[in-house]
Amino acid sequence: KAGVTQTPRYLIKTRGQQVTLSCSPISGHRSVSWYQQTPGQGLQFLFEYFSETQRNKGNFPGRFSGRQFSNSRSEMNVSTLELGDSALYLCASSLSAGSENTIYFGEGSWLTVV
Amino acid sequence: AQSVTQLGSHVSVSEGALVLLRCNYSSSVPPYLFWYVQYPNQGLQLLLKYTSAATLVKGINGFEAEFKKSETSFHLTKPSAHMSDAAEYFCAGGTGFQKLVFGTGTRLLVSP
């Protein structure tokens, strides 16, 4: 059974550009969440989607957005990139909506903003 | 608000020694708790999860954690460290909607 797949794994963008990251959850998983990991702030929750609806959002500016498709795949977008957006972006999936569902993470997408 | 505290940003042990990584949580509602491990340049791998079914939780690679409500703790242990255990370990907790709150992480260093 394939795990959570994220693409691209590495990318370099210029300040002011936008970026789209993709996530394919584990087959059968309907909940997808995104996290940002930086050396200074650690792991921070961005947002979570279930059945194409955003159910929860972290404290990030509106430049960070996401969506989920009917096949549960998800994308996140960051517009007007800033140097501080350089981070590892992790996608996670779980089976459904229950709080006790195990959350599995992907390998992440490394974003460098120059 | 839910918060997770990991004591010690770095822990050093010798190969074969006991590993103890500390995690405390704060919540008025019984949480669900996780330990994840992250190897260099990789994502997070689940070690174990507390589900309220048992206070002593066994995970992969010989790790286990004990949930102690009276101490609001969920410390991770392994009886005998191996060189391959060197990594960063994260304790995380949540109360719903898959939103996890992570501790700041503890880097485990294992010396021969």
Side-chain angles (χ1 to χ4, degrees):
Chain A
K1 194 173 187 180
V4 179
T5 304
Q6 293 187 244
T7 57
R9 289 294 316 279
Y10 304 91
L11 67 166
I12 300 174
K13 290 287 187 178
T14 302
R15 192 170 46 182
Q17 287 185 315
Q18 72 166 14
V19 66
T20 298
L21 308 177
S22 180
C23 172
S24 294
I26 293 172
S27 179
H29 285 195
R30 296 171 63 192
S31 170
V32 174
S33 50
W34 290 87
Y35 292 79
Q36 181 197 63
Q37 185 178 22
T38 60
Q41 299 298 318
L43 282 152
Q44 295 184 286
F45 173 80
L46 279 158
F47 29 65
E48 186 257 348
Y49 288 86
F50 180 79
S51 293
E52 302 178 66
T53 300
Q54 185 182 91
R55 296 192 303 174
N56 210 343
K57 191 177 189 304
N59 296 323
F60 280 83
R63 299 186 296 107
F64 292 81
S65 63
R67 59 177 175 170
Q68 186 181 33
F69 302 96
S70 59
N71 60 359
S72 294
R73 192 176 67 84
S74 177
E75 289 181 347
M76 69 162 283
N77 183 276
V78 187
S79 63
T80 319
L81 284 166
E82 301 177 359
L83 297 179
D85 297 332
S86 295
L88 175 65
Y89 290 88
L90 292 163
C91 174
S93 76
S94 62
L95 193 59
S96 64
S99 62
E100 289 194 355
N101 277 286
T102 300
I103 300 172
Y104 297 94
F105 284 81
E107 293 290 301
S109 291
W110 288 92
L111 171 65
T112 300
V113 182
V114 298
Chain B
Q2 175 80 17
S3 68
V4 173
T5 303
Q6 290 184 244
L7 298 176
S9 59
H10 292 80
V11 170
S12 295
V13 299
S14 299
E15 193 172 20
L18 171 72
V19 175
L20 171 60
L21 305 182
R22 300 178 187 274
C23 173
N24 288 87
Y25 68 93
S26 67
S27 176
S28 59
V29 176
Y32 62 112
L33 295 162
F34 301 85
W35 274 101
Y36 288 90
V37 60
Q38 186 175 38
Y39 297 100
N41 299 319
Q42 293 189 22
L44 299 175
Q45 181 182 2
L46 179 68
L47 281 176
L48 49 80
K49 180 181 85 169
Y50 168 69
T51 62
S52 76
T55 57
L56 184 61
V57 183
K58 293 187 182 300
I60 63 171
N61 301 338
F63 284 94
E64 62 181 37
E66 186 172 8
F67 175 77
K68 291 187 177 180
K69 186 175 181 180
S70 60
E71 299 177 7
T72 60
S73 68
F74 190 57
H75 301 333
L76 181 71
T77 61
K78 182 174 180 178
S80 177
H82 192 272
M83 295 296 290
S84 61
D85 295 327
E88 189 151 21
Y89 292 78
F90 292 92
C91 181
T95 55
F97 294 123
Q98 322 309 71
K99 177 181 179 180
L100 293 179
V101 174
F102 283 88
T104 51
T106 297
R107 186 169 297 280
L108 177 65
L109 307 170
V110 183
S111 56

